[in-house]
Amino acid sequence: MESIISPFTLSVDWLAFTVPHAFVYEVMDAVHGEWAQSSVGFRGYPDCWMTSDGFRGVGKMGTGAPRSPREVHVDLSGGIVSAWDISHLQAVLAWVIAMNGHFTRIDCALDDRAASVPVSQIQAAIDAGQMVTRAANVDAHASSSADTGESRGTTLYIGSPASQTRLRIYDKRLELQQKHRPNWADFGMRWELEFRKDRADACARKLAESDPMFWQELVVGLLRSHLDFRETTRDHDSAARCRAPLVAWWEQLTCGFQKARLTVEKRERTLDEVKEWFKQSVGPTLAVLYVIPGLGLPWIEEVVNSGADRWKKKHHLLLKGTWRKPAQNE
């Protein structure tokens, strides 16, 4: 990884894959996290497990399809994957490949943390015909609060939802500020490449086999294969447009991205987040155990006491020294 401090960062923000023949516990061991079985299926799979270990995203695992009972499909959103250590991410990619699996989605996020190129500047270049891309669709979606009318920013989409490569450009800093995240000031403009199907599989396999210090160069290459900004207009023919020099801000931005540092998004989980996760994910099962004769509150208290013996670092961070381990007789 880069040893210099860079205002540009790279992170992997979503991962989805399918393995053709595995037990659910094998996938859980590879991915990690705390999984609970759901009462509803997922993507056509009758059996589903869920995790909210990232607390800002959800992981789902589906299996048990009659056509292929041991096939397992996994979707892991950005709140989970972006918090993984790089070594763990690469280990998961390698495990899927070793299991003869294939990747169905991977998102790579390049962050311009200084917000040196705002959405308005990018939109102006698109309007001037300076963007050169194979994408058939370019959309801009402006959003605002229904309650206050406050702007929530504009997101540019380069590529259609059905395409195998789609780029989203938006103000990540504004998004996190409006969600009242304490680290919102650390972010800026996000260039997020979403790969699906064959493009996702190709990207994930390349990341798995490459030294992470070269991931930035790889992702920037994929970004520039999707679009470029050049000193041209729509009046020029396609050959001239592709040969035109890069616009200055785009050249500086992509050079910055090539020097990006790989990041793992670290953030302490709040008590409110844990409570909401527990209520949504564990609450229904806890209610069943509470009313079963012979279990009820005494059994739940026994689980609480034994669980305190297995606290890990993340649990102690949540406690922050304000709670104590329950005594056996309490």
Side-chain angles (χ1 to χ4, degrees):
M1 292 173 28
E2 293 284 341
S3 59
I4 63 172
I5 301 300
S6 170
F8 304 98
T9 59
L10 166 66
S11 60
V12 174
D13 209 45
W14 194 293
L15 184 66
F17 60 85
T18 304
V19 290
H21 195 75
F23 290 108
V24 166
Y25 73 83
E26 292 179 291
V27 184
M28 292 179 182
D29 284 346
V31 172
H32 298 172
E34 298 170 1
W35 295 81
Q37 190 160 13
S38 172
S39 60
V40 297
F42 170 58
R43 294 192 183 276
Y45 295 93
D47 301 323
C48 174
W49 282 259
M50 297 178 63
T51 182
S52 296
D53 213 34
F55 288 86
R56 288 158 295 155
V58 174
K60 292 186 178 182
M61 182 186 309
T63 190
R67 57 178 172 74
S68 184
R70 291 277 301 279
E71 181 177 280
V72 182
H73 178 77
V74 181
D75 262 22
L76 301 166
S77 67
I80 295 175
V81 180
S82 63
W84 283 356
D85 290 334
I86 303 304
S87 58
H88 178 56
L89 171 59
Q90 201 163 31
V92 171
L93 299 179
W95 181 84
V96 173
I97 294 170
M99 295 294 290
N100 296 315
H102 63 277
F103 302 91
T104 59
R105 177 176 173 182
I106 188 168
D107 292 6
C108 297
L110 289 160
D111 284 298
D112 169 15
R113 300 213 172 212
S116 57
V117 182
V119 168
S120 58
Q121 185 172 352
I122 301 164
Q123 184 65 68
I126 294 172
D127 293 342
Q130 292 181 321
M131 185 176 69
V132 179
T133 180
R134 294 190 182 94
N137 291 75
V138 179
D139 297 305
H141 293 174
S143 62
S144 60
S145 169
D147 295 329
T148 66
E150 181 184 13
S151 172
R152 291 182 172 171
T154 298
T155 300
L156 299 177
Y157 295 90
I158 317 298
S160 73
S163 63
Q164 293 194 19
T165 303
R166 196 183 196 200
L167 174 66
R168 288 182 292 274
I169 310 169
Y170 60 97
D171 190 334
K172 185 71 173 178
R173 181 183 298 170
L174 179 61
E175 177 193 66
L176 296 181
Q177 183 181 23
Q178 291 170 343
K179 291 180 178 179
H180 306 291
R181 297 278 169 78
N183 62 335
W184 63 267
D186 295 336
F187 287 82
M189 291 299 303
R190 171 159 289 191
W191 298 65
E192 191 169 60
L193 281 163
E194 176 186 330
F195 300 108
R196 291 183 178 271
K197 300 180 180 179
D198 292 344
R199 294 283 286 172
D201 196 60
C203 176
R205 289 174 184 273
K206 193 67 177 176
L207 294 178
E209 69 184 27
S210 302
D211 188 315
M213 71 179 297
F214 299 117
W215 283 11
Q216 301 94 315
E217 184 177 350
L218 168 65
V219 174
V220 172
L222 294 172
L223 173 64
R224 290 200 51 199
S225 72
H226 188 58
L227 86 168
D228 258 334
F229 289 91
R230 296 182 175 274
E231 296 287 0
T232 186
T233 69
R234 292 188 180 86
D235 296 332
H236 296 149
D237 61 55
S238 58
R241 285 170 58 79
C242 292
R243 291 195 304 267
L246 299 177
V247 299
W249 63 262
W250 177 243
E251 186 171 16
Q252 292 171 0
L253 185 67
T254 52
C255 286
F257 282 148
Q258 286 179 335
K259 298 176 182 178
R261 55 187 173 88
L262 279 168
T263 60
V264 176
E265 193 171 338
K266 296 292 187 182
R267 185 174 67 91
E268 290 185 13
R269 298 159 183 168
T270 67
L271 182 59
D272 286 341
E273 288 175 325
V274 176
K275 287 164 59 181
E276 183 63 23
W277 167 79
F278 188 91
K279 182 173 70 175
Q280 297 296 329
S281 301
V282 184
T285 302
L286 186 67
V288 171
L289 296 173
Y290 181 80
V291 300
I292 292 177
L295 296 179
L297 187 58
W299 184 85
I300 292 173
E301 290 178 339
E302 180 183 343
V303 171
V304 170
N305 287 325
S306 64
D309 292 327
R310 293 181 284 114
W311 282 344
K312 299 178 182 177
K313 181 179 179 180
K314 61 183 179 181
H315 302 116
H316 288 286
L317 287 173
L318 182 64
L319 296 175
K320 295 182 180 178
T322 59
W323 295 351
R324 60 184 174 84
K325 175 181 173 181
Q328 290 293 330
N329 294 329
E330 289 184 319

